[in-house]
Amino acid sequence: MLEPIKFEFQLNYSKKMLYNYISTPEKMAKWFADYVQSIGSRYICFWNGYEETCFLIKKKKEKSVRYKWEKFEEKKYYFEFLIQEKLFPKKLYLIITDFVKKNEIEQSKLWWQNKIKILKKRTES
């Protein structure tokens, strides 16, 4: 059984820029996977010769994007990127919801931290 887990990362981007990095295949390929190909709502993600398919199941412009891995038939298992703006002090956060096995929480946490490091590195000016 998988359990939901949330990770929160403070980022110094505009909402529009961050939304592009979590919703478009071209930008997702800069940090999330080595390459991302989309056909409609189907996203095929490639990592070192390994591929995984997910489907875009919900999006709100400049707010959130939700994907469901093809291997999970139940819709309750997904991963989601939520952009949250806190006004005081004014900060932008990316909140990631993922579903993992209880014994894989730390591994998932490290994976997402690494992905965010890559995102920050690839978007530095």
Side-chain angles (χ1 to χ4, degrees), residues 4-67:
I5 187 159
K6 290 185 186 255
F7 304 103
E8 184 175 299
F9 300 96
Q10 181 185 337
L11 299 168
N12 296 316
Y13 305 126
S14 69
K15 286 169 105 175
K16 182 177 182 174
M17 179 180 169
L18 184 54
Y19 184 76
N20 284 333
Y21 274 89
I22 63 173
S23 65
T24 64
E26 300 81 20
K27 297 294 187 182
M28 289 176 75
K30 293 185 180 287
W31 71 281
F32 181 72
D34 299 331
Y35 177 72
V36 179
Q37 177 184 2
S38 71
I39 304 162
S41 65
R42 181 180 184 178
Y43 285 56
I44 306 166
C45 304
F46 299 86
W47 296 273
N48 296 323
Y50 173 76
E51 74 178 64
E52 188 91 38
T53 298
C54 63
F55 295 92
L56 175 64
I57 57 172
K58 184 178 177 183
K59 70 179 179 177
K60 292 181 183 176
K61 189 171 180 158
E62 295 184 18
K63 292 186 188 263
S64 65
V65 184
R66 183 178 289 184
Y67 299 93

Side-chain angles (χ1 to χ4, degrees), residues 71-112:
K71 66 183 177 184
F72 296 124
E73 292 182 22
E74 295 184 49
K75 276 196 173 185
K76 69 179 184 177
Y77 299 134
Y78 60 87
F79 66 100
E80 180 177 59
F81 301 114
L82 172 66
I83 299 170
Q84 188 173 71
E85 192 171 30
K86 297 184 181 177
L87 298 176
F88 189 79
K90 190 170 182 172
K91 303 277 184 194
L92 192 70
Y93 293 87
L94 179 62
I95 300 168
I96 300 170
T97 301
D98 199 359
F99 284 79
V100 296
K101 293 178 183 174
K102 198 170 195 167
N103 65 339
E104 295 176 351
I105 291 172
E106 190 61 30
Q107 179 183 349
S108 180
K109 178 180 176 182
L110 292 173
W111 192 84
W112 284 112

